[in-house]
């Protein structure tokens, strides 16, 4: 492909051409320049974008420049303005990766904004969100390039977790656009949970939106996706009976513990709960529902334990112990549930070896049921003869029952998810024409203003305010009536029978007729520049 001198003076346009057309670095000198540009660090990339923007707007028009712009409109860089970026999810869940890997990848909620900032600092990532729970670690991004975006995010995950890229690739799953949309909707509805229909995941999806508010990088597409996922989660639970009789991770943990205890010891087993957060509170409630009347709760503060005690029916004894009495409390317990946000284990082999055996009624073996990620109980504790450790991956044994009923409920929910996925895609489609709508209105406004000034200058200086306002209103009315037809044909929100392809054809036609394409490219480069500088 011939390259004019204008491109040599504009490295960012070279990078765009090379990036979006995937030109081979071995075929043209232009390709070599693009490869070197992509290999620079983020500061250099910002300089390239700024320089390109300045040269597009400040350079004096000449034949060479016009030729370059014409080439741009027919090149792969033009697709930068025409092809939308892809929504991609790169994830590892309880279905694909062991807890040993998930806990290394887990990102605490307080670190989500930092993670979003780092992800959006990658070359091909525009927006991002993190969904990190005990059962999953999923990163949602809006990527300029699917392949390169996935590669960059996977390398970032490897860097932050210390897990080799090759190992992450063995356990990750990748979903794009419609599939990614359907996945987060299924997650929010509880269909992808270990426990079908469990409600805690919906609260976690809501938390992603809450934490992301105001964070640069949690942009329109990704935030819109998660907000729509919340709507789907609520609708599925309202219109189906998927949540009827559904258990949570906490209730499954209680069921697992009771499965491992002799039935005769259910009432007498000494229960210890470490952590009085949401998960710990649910463990306590499910123990009470199973007939447990006495338990000890270790927590950083007593206030939460008191609040839980006030919610529970009378006749149940809930004793509070501070964290510094954790080991002493463990020595007096037969079953220990852990659900804290600690990033380091609370129990290791050396700690458990010093504890006395559990009650003879349960076989002298102390049970640790750890539903935290990262884990609160080290796997080395299993080496102690008088201890058995179970984590979230072991809950599959509990939820394997009633498989047919689970599948029937899932089918009901899928109908809703398919409908909502179509609505979300229609909303995303409608965003495609926004730059053209804005530029067309701005173009019409420039003409209106210029012609209005000519008219007013001819009418003289003695025109009163009422007449001036009337002429101004008239000009605005004419422009609005003129724009009404084009604007209607740029609509693509699912409210009429117009297809996306028809709408995009209309958009490209208007771009060509009014010369809006160059302005839209400049706007995208400007947006990228301002986003990197924030």
């Amino acid at each position: 492909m011939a390259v004019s001198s204008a491109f040599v003076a504009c490295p960012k346009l070279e990078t765009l051409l090379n990036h979006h057309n995937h030109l081979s670095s071995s075929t043209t000198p232009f390709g070599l320049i693009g490869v070197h540009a992509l290999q620079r660090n983020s500061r250099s990339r910002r300089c390239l974008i700024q320089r390109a923007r300045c040269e597009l707007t400040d350079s004096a028009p000449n034949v060479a420049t016009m030729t370059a712009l014409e080439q741009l409109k027919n090149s792969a860089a033009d697709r930068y303005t025409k092809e939308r970026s892809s929504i991609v999810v790169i994830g590892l869940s309880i279905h694909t990766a062991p807890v040993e890997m998930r806990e290394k990848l887990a990102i605490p909620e307080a670190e989500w904004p930092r993670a979003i900032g780092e992800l959006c600092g990658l070359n091909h990532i525009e927006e991002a969100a993190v969904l990190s729970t005990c059962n999953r670690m999923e990163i949602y991004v809006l990527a300029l390039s699917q392949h390169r975006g996935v590669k960059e995010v996977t390398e970032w995950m490897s860097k932050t977790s210390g897990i080799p890229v090759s190992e992450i690739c063995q356990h990750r799953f990748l979903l794009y656009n419609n599939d990614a949309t359907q996945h987060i909707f299924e997650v929010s509805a509880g269909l992808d949970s270990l426990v079908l229909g469990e409600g805690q995941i919906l609260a976690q999806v809501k938390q992603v939106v809450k934490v992301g508010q105001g964070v640069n990088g949690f942009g329109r597409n990704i935030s819109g996706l998660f907000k729509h996922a919340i709507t789907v989660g609520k609708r599925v639970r309202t219109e189906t009976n998927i949540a009827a009789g559904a258990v949570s991770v906490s209730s499954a943990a209680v069921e697992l513990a009771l499965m491992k205890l002799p039935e005769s010891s259910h009432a007498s087993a000494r229960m210890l709960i470490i952590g009085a957060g949401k998960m710990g509170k649910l463990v306590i409630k499910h123990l009470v529902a199973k007939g447990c009347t006495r338990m000890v709760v270790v927590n950083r503060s007593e206030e939460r334990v008191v609040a839980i005690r006030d919610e529970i029916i009378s006749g149940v004894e809930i004793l509070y112990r501070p964290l510094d009495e954790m080991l002493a409390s463990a020595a007096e317990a037969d079953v220990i549930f852990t659900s804290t946000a600690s990033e380091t284990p609370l129990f290791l082999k050396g700690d458990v070896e010093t504890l006395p055996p559990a009650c003879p009624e349960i076989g002298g073996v102390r049970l640790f049921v750890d539903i935290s990620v990262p884990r609160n109980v080290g796997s080395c504790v299993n080496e102690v003869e008088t201890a058995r450790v179970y984590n979230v991956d072991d809950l599959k044994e509990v939820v394997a029952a009633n498989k047919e009923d689970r599948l029937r409920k899932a089918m009901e929910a899928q109908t809703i998810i398919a409908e909502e996925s179509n609505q979300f895609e229609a909303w995303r489609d409608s965003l495609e024409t926004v730059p053209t709508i804005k530029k067309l209105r701005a173009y019409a406004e420039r003409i209106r203003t210029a012609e209005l000034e000519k008219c007013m200058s001819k009418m003289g200086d003695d025109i009163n305010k009422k007449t001036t306002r009337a002429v101004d209103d008239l000009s605005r009315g004419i422009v609005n009536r003129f724009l009404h037809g084009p604007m209607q044909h740029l609509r693509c929100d699912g409210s009429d029978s117009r297809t996306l392809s028809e709408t995009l054809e209309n958009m490209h036609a208007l771009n060509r007729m009014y010369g809006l394409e160059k302005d839209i490219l400049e706007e995208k480069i400007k947006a990228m520049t301002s986003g990197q500088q924030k």
Side-chain angles (χ1 to χ4, degrees), residues 344-358:
T344 56
L346 302 180
F347 293 95
L348 294 172
K349 181 180 178 181
D351 303 315
V352 179
E353 282 180 328
T354 62
L355 300 179

Side-chain angles (χ1 to χ4, degrees), residues 88-92 101 105 118-119 122-125 137-141 143 145-176:
V88 184
V89 55
I90 303 99
L92 297 95
M101 178 178 290
L105 289 161
E118 291 182 2
L119 287 164
L122 301 175
N123 285 338
H124 297 86
I125 304 302
M137 165 55 182
E138 297 175 357
I139 294 177
Y140 293 77
V141 297
S145 163
Q146 291 184 2
H147 173 73
R148 295 177 183 179
V150 168
K151 182 175 183 291
E152 290 171 357
V153 172
T154 304
E155 290 172 349
W156 179 85
M157 294 170 73
S158 174
K159 181 180 177 182
T160 57
S161 66
I163 301 174
V165 169
S166 58
E167 191 173 345
I168 292 176
C169 290
Q170 289 176 7
H171 295 275
R172 76 181 180 190
F173 62 86
L174 304 173
L175 296 169
Y176 306 96

Side-chain angles (χ1 to χ4, degrees), residues 279-515:
M279 302 278 276
K281 179 179 178 180
L282 289 173
V283 168
I284 294 170
K285 288 188 172 182
H286 287 297
L287 284 172
V288 172
K290 291 295 181 179
C292 181
T293 57
R294 187 182 188 277
M295 61 196 77
V296 176
V297 180
V298 171
N299 195 56
R300 186 172 283 107
S301 65
E302 187 175 3
E303 287 78 10
R304 283 192 175 183
V305 180
V306 172
I308 294 172
R309 185 190 297 146
D310 292 341
E311 287 186 35
I312 304 299
I313 59 175
S314 59
V316 177
E317 186 178 8
I318 301 176
L319 304 176
Y320 165 75
R321 295 287 184 271
L323 274 178
D324 56 10
E325 295 183 20
M326 182 181 68
L327 284 178
S329 300
E332 300 173 353
D334 301 316
V335 181
I336 301 173
F337 296 90
T338 58
S339 60
T340 79
S342 174
E343 296 186 28
T344 56
L346 302 180
F347 293 95
L348 294 172
K349 181 180 178 181
D351 303 315
V352 179
E353 282 180 328
T354 62
L355 300 179
C359 287
E361 289 83 356
I362 67 167
V365 176
R366 181 173 284 104
L367 303 184
F368 289 84
V369 184
D370 183 7
I371 54 176
S372 304
V373 177
R375 289 171 294 175
N376 290 166
V377 183
S379 56
C380 56
V381 173
N382 265 324
E383 299 173 10
V384 180
E385 290 186 6
T386 57
R388 293 290 180 274
V389 180
Y390 301 95
N391 58 51
V392 288
D393 287 3
D394 297 308
L395 300 182
K396 296 175 183 178
E397 183 179 348
V398 177
V399 300
N402 302 321
K403 187 175 182 180
E404 290 185 8
D405 186 48
R406 287 160 55 86
L407 291 175
R408 181 180 57 78
K409 292 177 180 179
M411 288 297 292
E412 294 175 7
Q414 284 293 354
T415 303
I416 295 174
I417 289 174
E419 180 183 326
E420 293 288 348
S421 294
N422 290 336
Q423 290 185 16
F424 177 75
E425 288 305 314
W427 174 78
R428 277 202 77 205
D429 291 342
S430 71
L431 299 181
E432 290 297 290
T433 59
V434 170
T436 296
I437 291 173
K438 289 181 177 179
K439 289 299 178 182
L440 184 58
R441 283 195 176 279
Y443 177 80
E445 178 62 18
R446 287 197 298 270
I447 294 176
R448 186 193 72 82
T449 303
E451 295 302 317
L452 181 63
E453 288 177 357
K454 290 180 184 178
C455 175
M456 300 306 294
S457 63
K458 291 178 180 179
M459 296 175 70
D461 298 331
D462 57 344
I463 303 299
N464 59 44
K465 291 183 179 180
K466 183 177 180 181
T467 302
T468 301
R469 188 181 306 112
V471 174
D472 184 75
D473 290 344
L474 175 64
S475 66
R476 291 181 186 275
I478 292 172
V479 169
N480 288 337
R481 290 292 297 273
F482 174 78
L483 290 178
H484 179 73
M487 293 305 175
Q488 283 293 102
H489 284 79
L490 289 178
R491 287 181 57 188
C492 186
D493 56 6
S495 61
D496 54 34
S497 59
R498 188 175 299 111
T499 65
L500 173 61
S501 60
E502 290 173 336
T503 302
L504 292 180
E505 285 177 9
N506 295 334
M507 180 185 75
H508 296 323
L510 287 168
N511 285 341
R512 289 191 299 271
M513 283 189 286
Y514 295 104

Side-chain angles (χ1 to χ4, degrees), residues 224-295:
L225 176 66
F226 273 80
K227 289 174 182 176
H228 206 122
I230 294 171
T231 300
V232 174
K234 291 178 179 178
R235 184 181 168 194
V236 166
R237 287 170 174 80
T238 301
E239 298 183 20
T240 74
N241 63 346
I242 194 169
V247 290
S248 64
V249 170
S250 299
S251 65
V254 172
E255 291 287 349
L256 179 64
L258 296 179
M259 285 171 57
K260 301 302 178 182
L261 290 174
E263 190 171 347
S264 59
S265 66
H266 285 187
S268 60
R270 299 170 296 175
M271 302 291 181
L272 171 64
I273 300 92
I274 300 177
K278 293 179 181 178
M279 302 278 276
K281 179 179 178 180
L282 289 173
V283 168
I284 294 170
K285 288 188 172 182
H286 287 297
L287 284 172
V288 172
K290 291 295 181 179
C292 181
T293 57
R294 187 182 188 277
M295 61 196 77

